[in-house]
Amino acid sequence: MISNTEKSTGSQGELGPVRVWALAAGGMVGGGIYIALGVVIAVAAQWAWLSFVISGVIAVCTAYSYARVSNHYKRSGGAFEFLEEMDRQGIAGSLSWLLILGYTLTIAVYTFAFGHYLAYSIGGGPAVIRAFAIGIGIALIGLNLVGIGKMTAVEVVIVTANLVVLLILGLIGICNWDSTQLLAGIEPRTPWSASVGAAAIFVSYEGFQLLTYEYEKVKSPEKYFLPVLVSAAIFVVFVYVLVALGATMLAGALAIVEEKQVALSIAAENVGGTAGLVVMTIAAAFATAAAINSTLFSTGKLAARVARDHELPGWFSHQNRFGVPDRPIIAIGIVATLLSVLGSLSALVEAASLVFLAAFFIVNLTCFQLADSNRWIPLTGIIVGAMIGVVLVARLIVTAPISLAVLVLLSLVATLGRSAILRWLKSKEE
């Protein structure tokens, strides 16, 4: 077992196990399934459900690793903090840049989903989609700047309602089981395609690790954090498989692929007509907005924390009168909003998936090195994550070489050019 010799954080945190569970599950489901289903069915067809299982194995192993290492160091800060505590500041700085990039891409995906689901409900075209996306981006930047970036109680309510809606949709679909719907209008795929699908939508499992940035606010984390985080990840795997199968039963594979930006609205409308569409639109709007809000808040805090350790320019550490790291929130929010209206769904999803596969690989490796029991869990995350990462890179080489080249360039800047950039900026400040 990982050493637990440091002083306990006690039980004075404000986040109890139920809230932590809800926020962890909601962090993953908040935007993921709304935009991932059509993407994965286009790639894996009848094996889409297995794609979610494969990605879920990595997520569950990584949730375990995040919790174990968080309990070891007993500090908020996530992977950046873990590596700094291990005297690996260089790797920590590079990883922080990659994480900020990944979170920015994720916010763009959620903003993309928000714009498309709302616009579809009123029959709006591209201009309306962009207006909704830009509007939510600006609105949530504003909320964060006035200190309303983490609305825990509200988020729990949204998460609960969202999960209920998705479970009902999935169960209705399963009760109307028709295996021909899994391939309705599309070509069948081989079982191998499940690994390609898992690679393409791994970003759907991003979100639970944001709770590690709030570790010091968790009640009795040594007791609850690990089982809560892992059980939330396992539950989300179940929800994703249920919805992947259920929604396909209701809408058919072709409809979901052709309308992948709003796949769940198509399924809900087929089963419930206008009422189903309204319910799913409300669920999607609130879930994606909450996911944007919490991710933007946490990413801004991460950027400010990294800047205070001189691994980002000091400009990012600035706080406004509400104690909010305003500059990173504005910068990240604007970039994410622009990406959401300029980028394609698949490119955004797959680029973010690759970043988080790399980050989760590092966390699993960290846990494997520190632990002296149950090392097979992080090892499983390492092996499966590496395999899926290779598959995703191969896919991007074929389908999106420009996106991959940009991502590789940014990764090289983060790993090899970061120190030189920071030295140059410091010389300019002096």
Side-chain angles (χ1 to χ4, degrees):
M1 189 173 236
I2 289 179
S3 169
N4 219 4
T5 58
E6 296 186 37
K7 183 179 178 181
S8 170
T9 54
S11 58
Q12 301 304 310
E14 62 190 49
L15 298 176
V18 174
R19 281 190 173 187
V20 172
W21 190 94
L23 292 173
M28 288 180 273
V29 179
I33 191 64
Y34 288 100
I35 45 80
L37 185 57
V39 173
V40 72
I41 289 178
V43 173
Q46 76 274 28
W47 299 104
W49 64 272
L50 184 56
S51 296
F52 283 112
V53 172
I54 294 170
S55 286
V57 168
I58 305 170
V60 171
C61 292
T62 309
Y64 175 89
S65 294
Y66 262 106
R68 286 287 300 270
V69 182
S70 293
N71 282 340
H72 175 67
Y73 289 119
K74 296 179 173 51
R75 293 179 63 180
S76 301
F80 174 76
E81 194 70 48
F82 303 160
L83 292 170
E84 281 220 320
E85 289 285 351
M86 296 174 71
D87 293 324
R88 296 177 180 175
Q89 285 86 351
I91 300 175
S94 298
L95 179 61
S96 68
W97 284 36
L98 291 175
L99 282 172
I100 291 168
L101 170 62
Y103 289 133
T104 302
L105 289 168
T106 303
I107 294 168
V109 169
Y110 296 158
T111 306
F112 182 101
F114 181 93
H116 278 78
Y117 272 87
L118 254 66
Y120 177 79
S121 69
I122 61 172
V128 176
I129 293 170
R130 286 192 289 269
F132 278 132
I134 293 170
I136 194 64
I138 293 172
L140 293 179
I141 289 172
L143 282 177
N144 273 270
L145 291 178
V146 296
I148 317 179
K150 198 68 177 176
M151 301 178 291
T152 305
V154 175
E155 284 183 66
V156 170
V157 173
I158 292 172
V159 165
T160 303
N162 179 40
L163 289 174
V164 169
V165 169
L166 292 176
L167 286 170
I168 291 173
L169 178 72
L171 288 171
I172 292 174
I174 295 297
C175 290
N176 289 275
W177 184 267
D178 178 3
S179 59
T180 62
Q181 290 288 76
L182 294 173
L183 288 170
I186 64 173
E187 292 295 323
R189 304 289 194 275
T190 63
W192 166 252
S193 65
S195 64
V196 183
I201 48 85
F202 184 73
V203 71
S204 302
Y205 286 104
E206 181 280 326
F208 66 85
Q209 77 281 6
L210 296 178
L211 270 297
T212 64
Y213 301 142
E214 308 294 331
Y215 180 82
E216 291 168 11
K217 296 181 180 179
V218 175
K219 292 181 180 179
S220 303
E222 300 92 339
K223 180 179 180 180
Y224 295 116
F225 200 52
L226 191 151
V228 167
L229 218 59
V230 171
S231 62
I234 293 172
F235 179 76
V236 169
V237 177
F238 168 77
V239 171
Y240 281 174
V241 171
L242 180 68
V243 173
L245 292 170
T248 308
M249 294 301 109
L250 297 173
L254 181 61
I256 288 180
V257 171
E258 288 184 338
E259 299 287 350
K260 57 180 175 289
Q261 295 90 344
V262 290
L264 295 189
S265 281
I266 301 296
E269 191 174 18
N270 280 359
V271 70
T274 301
L277 174 61
V278 169
V279 171
M280 186 54 66
T281 301
I282 293 172
F286 276 102
T288 53
I292 295 166
N293 192 59
S294 61
T295 307
L296 182 58
F297 174 80
S298 296
T299 309
K301 285 185 64 178
L302 172 63
R305 167 72 180 83
V306 174
R308 287 194 295 272
D309 272 18
H310 310 293
E311 295 291 352
L312 269 176
W315 183 88
F316 285 94
S317 64
H318 182 269
Q319 293 186 343
N320 64 14
R321 63 190 180 91
F322 297 102
V324 172
D326 50 353
R327 291 173 180 172
I329 283 174
I330 292 171
I332 293 165
I334 290 174
V335 171
T337 302
L338 288 175
L339 287 172
S340 73
V341 298
L342 297 176
S344 71
L345 175 60
S346 295
L348 290 171
V349 169
E350 291 174 5
S353 293
L354 188 56
V355 171
F356 285 110
L357 276 167
F360 287 7
F361 178 90
I362 292 172
V363 173
N364 280 311
L365 183 59
T366 300
C367 182
F368 180 78
Q369 293 173 335
L370 290 174
D372 56 18
S373 66
N374 291 328
R375 299 178 81 193
W376 65 271
I377 298 177
L379 181 60
T380 301
I382 291 168
I383 294 171
V384 180
M387 292 170 59
I388 296 302
V390 170
V391 170
L392 181 53
V393 170
R395 172 176 165 80
L396 288 172
I397 289 173
V398 175
T399 62
I402 295 176
S403 297
L404 178 61
V406 171
L407 193 59
V408 169
L409 177 61
L410 292 174
S411 299
L412 290 174
V413 170
T415 54
L416 302 179
R418 178 182 52 82
S419 297
I421 292 171
L422 291 174
R423 284 195 302 269
W424 179 77
L425 289 172
K426 186 176 181 179
S427 68
K428 289 293 183 181
E429 291 175 0
E430 294 173 351

